[in-house]
Amino acid sequence: MYEEEVQKPAVAHEQGTTHSPDVQLITRAHQLLAWAESISDVYTPWPDGLPSPINWVSAAEEWYAQKANLVFQEAASFLLLHEWAHSTSLHLQQGPGLSDQDYIELEKDADNTAYDVLVGDREDDEKLHLAWAILSALLSSFYLLKTTSHVKQYRHPELHHRVQHMLFRLDIADERPRAYFHGLCVEVLRRTFTAALWSDPVDGYETAEELLQATLDQIDTMLDRTAATPLRRSPS
């Protein structure tokens, strides 16, 4: 949805052309997202007719399904490495007496260790697919939230700060993919929270990075102001 509705049209505009999203592709992607969101409440099997690594209705949908499947596998690797880091770093044996901030630092350390193992010192062109995976693992958490108060995780860094930190670690230098990933984060965050939070137009910023920073700042302001505002689900 992000590539077809946001990123590709933006690139085409930059090049002086146009990109017309495939209506069937987008419709089925929205249906898939609606189902994915629904299993945060109750599990149901993957619907047979929706896109998957073994089911598609066009070459474009097959390409996205295979790409998403690779992203999922590497996202799962990042999450498993996070837990592995807790175990191998003896975080689980720290014992009582730690403050909440101590626990937050242990979570940050586990994120950093997972990043170091999965990405290491790869160059930009070698880590872009891993950037997709890490950010997807973190951004998907927002679709599980019921209220804004859940952005503040018990003894964990706030979810949007984890995203911000991983973008900092990735430090993608190439302008276009950097804008791509910052824009992806903006898209998910702004779909997650109520529309009333976003008082500024998205075209009021020169770069996706500036827009993301404004988005993160607004989330911080919201968290300071209220503890349990209901979240708006993405439109299906």
Side-chain angles (χ1 to χ4, degrees):
M1 288 163 53
Y2 172 66
E3 290 197 7
E4 287 293 320
E5 295 182 299
V6 179
Q7 191 250 353
K8 286 184 177 179
V11 171
H13 177 75
E14 177 185 310
Q15 296 174 342
T17 61
T18 59
H19 172 76
S20 299
D22 183 323
V23 175
Q24 181 188 46
L25 185 70
I26 294 300
T27 299
R28 285 168 55 78
H30 275 278
Q31 292 170 348
L32 185 61
L33 177 59
W35 168 74
E37 289 177 335
S38 75
I39 62 174
S40 67
D41 298 315
V42 58
Y43 171 76
T44 57
W46 196 304
D48 290 337
L50 291 186
S52 76
I54 59 173
N55 182 65
W56 53 82
V57 297
S58 67
E61 191 169 276
E62 178 187 9
W63 186 87
Y64 278 116
Q66 297 297 341
K67 176 179 179 177
N69 193 46
L70 173 62
V71 169
F72 168 79
Q73 292 179 56
E74 293 179 332
S77 296
F78 174 75
L79 295 175
L80 289 171
L81 284 168
H82 173 101
E83 300 306 328
W84 171 82
H86 279 314
S87 177
T88 57
S89 300
L90 304 180
H91 290 173
L92 305 180
Q93 300 178 26
Q94 295 290 333
L98 294 180
S99 68
D100 287 351
Q101 186 58 42
D102 290 332
Y103 281 106
I104 288 174
E105 292 304 318
L106 293 180
E107 292 298 329
K108 290 179 179 178
D109 183 60
D111 271 354
N112 284 327
T113 300
Y115 177 92
D116 291 338
V117 173
L118 191 63
V119 181
D121 57 358
R122 297 171 188 258
E123 298 295 329
D124 271 9
D125 59 345
E126 298 177 326
K127 66 184 179 186
L128 295 183
H129 63 102
L130 297 173
W132 235 116
I134 292 171
L135 294 174
S136 294
L138 299 178
L139 290 169
S140 63
S141 300
F142 287 89
Y143 289 103
L144 301 175
L145 306 183
K146 305 301 181 185
T147 71
T148 55
S149 62
H150 294 138
V151 178
K152 290 180 174 289
Q153 302 286 285
Y154 178 64
R155 290 180 170 176
H156 284 67
E158 294 174 5
L159 289 178
H160 61 304
H161 289 165
R162 291 184 72 191
V163 172
Q164 185 178 31
H165 178 64
M166 281 297 112
L167 281 170
F168 173 78
R169 287 296 314 272
L170 287 162
D171 190 27
I172 297 170
D174 192 341
E175 182 178 350
R176 179 166 289 174
R178 185 180 182 90
Y180 176 97
F181 288 113
H182 282 81
L184 172 67
C185 293
V186 169
E187 184 75 7
V188 173
L189 293 175
R190 291 193 173 228
R191 282 180 180 268
T192 300
F193 298 98
T194 54
L197 178 63
W198 315 118
S199 57
D200 56 330
V202 296
D203 57 0
Y205 296 88
E206 292 187 2
T207 66
E209 192 166 356
E210 290 178 3
L211 177 57
L212 175 60
Q213 187 57 58
T215 300
L216 295 168
D217 291 343
Q218 285 176 277
I219 294 174
D220 283 331
T221 300
M222 173 201 65
L223 292 176
D224 291 338
R225 185 173 62 244
T226 181
T229 302
L231 295 176
R232 174 178 64 85
R233 290 298 188 186
S234 302
S236 60

